[in-house]
Amino acid sequence: MTERLRRWSTVVVAGAIVLSVTAAARSAVPGAPAAPRLPAVRAATLHERYEANRRFLAESRDAAQRLDDTSRSQVLDRLAAPDRQFLTVSTEGDGLAVEVFGDLAGADRIAVVVPGSDTTIDTFDELGTKSASLNGGARALYAEMRRTAPGTPVAVVAWLGYHAPRTMSRDVAENGRAAAGGSELREFLAQLRSANATAPVALVCHSYGSVVCGSAVRDLDRASRRQLSGVAVVGSPGMGVASAAELRTDVPLWAGRGAQDWITDVPHVEVNILGRTFGFGADPVAPSFGARHFATGAGGHSDYFLPGSVPLHNLALIGLGRDGQVSHD
């Protein structure tokens, strides 16, 4: 065992034995309203779902205010803004939220942003910097796609449809959350077809979100495979496979990593320790993996969606299906 792998194994074992040093997941607000009964996702029901979730968020904000939970009430107040469109929302625990930018039913191109660890309903809007939050990244991608192709109707989905692990927890080194998230993502892609059956869909997967995407893509149904136009992973610890061929898809798989991304130092291995599997397999940017590489510049782990940046522009081109215009390192 190499020294690098030995150090990684020690960290993983410690994470598997000790309790997480992060704050415990938040419980639902006592006295909070029941989740709304929503119609199935269809082009004709999108507005109804947006309105129902907006009311639910406002009522949940009011419940948090009554309990003097200032931080949660402020979060919910932002999410309940009249210009926001949520297909799905849950305020239980770390929460779930699926937000749409643009006209989902009328789009000619759709991109779905799948986030990584530490993404919760409380960090949905702000995680470190605005562009590093799920909302900020998806919003920036939507703006860049519109700027790049002003005549093309596009939509971007910020998809927190799974319970992302915390960075300082053993879950972040295992694939359990990713497997559950992959199942949810496959279901969501099927729902998208009910809202828009013709627009090609690109997956943009950040960090642990790339493990979720790998789990989802491996087992997509035939209709979802036909609608999928591409998969782009950035800052990836691995996709849970040894090579792109194991994803069993013919669509382009893109991989990028910024020069200052700390994920470079994470060994891309799978290790069985005490009967549990840790790590996510081969490095997607390694030549042997079989992914297409795109330029990501000198940024770090949270810089892929910075407005005006090289990686953001390339992700927009991938979302638009303009593969021939993507720049390379």
Side-chain angles (χ1 to χ4, degrees):
M1 182 181 289
T2 66
E3 182 58 30
R4 189 181 185 200
L5 182 54
R6 187 177 293 108
R7 289 198 304 269
W8 171 245
S9 300
T10 300
V11 170
V12 169
V13 171
I17 294 174
V18 301
L19 294 175
S20 170
V21 299
T22 58
R26 302 185 62 147
S27 300
V29 176
R37 297 182 62 132
L38 299 171
V41 176
R42 300 282 188 275
T45 64
L46 294 178
H47 181 73
E48 183 180 350
R49 288 182 70 103
Y50 298 156
E51 288 297 320
N53 282 320
R54 188 175 298 117
R55 290 192 298 270
F56 171 69
L57 285 165
E59 292 166 359
S60 298
R61 173 203 60 204
D62 295 343
Q65 288 175 340
R66 289 194 295 271
L67 292 168
D68 293 324
D69 188 345
T70 303
S71 62
R72 176 57 72 94
S73 67
Q74 289 175 342
V75 166
L76 296 175
D77 187 58
R78 289 196 300 270
L79 299 184
D83 63 335
R84 302 188 71 168
Q85 304 178 140
F86 284 94
L87 273 177
T88 301
V89 172
S90 171
T91 59
E92 294 187 15
D94 282 343
L96 299 171
V98 177
E99 185 173 16
V100 176
F101 299 90
D103 179 1
L104 189 61
D108 286 350
R109 288 276 176 178
I110 299 171
V112 178
V113 181
V114 181
S117 60
D118 292 331
T119 309
T120 69
I121 197 170
D122 294 299
T123 64
F124 191 88
D125 279 1
E126 296 184 55
L127 178 59
T129 63
K130 189 65 176 176
S131 62
S133 71
L134 178 53
N135 167 274
R139 190 183 294 274
L141 180 59
Y142 176 63
E144 184 66 14
M145 289 175 70
R146 294 182 69 195
R147 187 192 71 78
T148 303
T152 302
V154 298
V156 173
V157 180
W159 187 82
L160 179 59
Y162 81 111
H163 295 289
R166 300 300 181 100
T167 296
M168 296 301 292
S169 72
R170 70 182 186 185
D171 288 337
V172 80
E174 297 184 82
N175 65 6
R177 297 286 184 101
S183 177
E184 296 294 338
L185 183 54
R186 285 193 298 274
E187 182 177 341
F188 177 70
L189 292 176
Q191 291 176 339
L192 271 187
R193 291 201 306 276
S194 298
N196 187 327
T198 60
V201 176
L203 295 178
V204 177
C205 319
H206 179 237
S207 195
Y208 189 89
S210 64
V211 194
V212 176
C213 287
S215 176
V217 171
R218 279 199 308 273
D219 296 314
L220 280 181
D221 60 70
R222 184 176 300 177
S224 292
R225 285 183 185 278
R226 284 198 300 266
Q227 193 168 15
L228 192 66
S229 64
V231 180
V233 299
V234 289
S236 174
M239 299 186 72
V241 294
S243 69
E246 290 188 18
L247 295 176
R248 300 194 294 272
T249 178
D250 294 330
V251 305
L253 171 64
W254 297 88
R257 181 180 302 144
Q260 298 182 52
D261 192 335
W262 58 262
I263 206 79
T264 302
D265 295 324
V266 175
H268 293 273
V269 296
E270 286 188 352
V271 182
N272 187 281
I273 301 174
L274 303 178
R276 306 182 76 124
T277 301
F278 297 88
F280 308 111
D283 185 353
V285 302
S288 59
F289 191 82
R292 304 182 186 186
H293 295 178
F294 63 95
T296 48
H301 194 65
S302 300
D303 297 334
Y304 297 102
F305 297 95
L306 285 173
S309 68
V310 169
L312 179 65
H313 183 60
N314 278 329
L315 290 172
L317 290 170
I318 293 169
L320 291 165
R322 298 185 177 184
D323 295 354
Q325 298 177 29
V326 175
S327 63
H328 303 271
D329 290 321

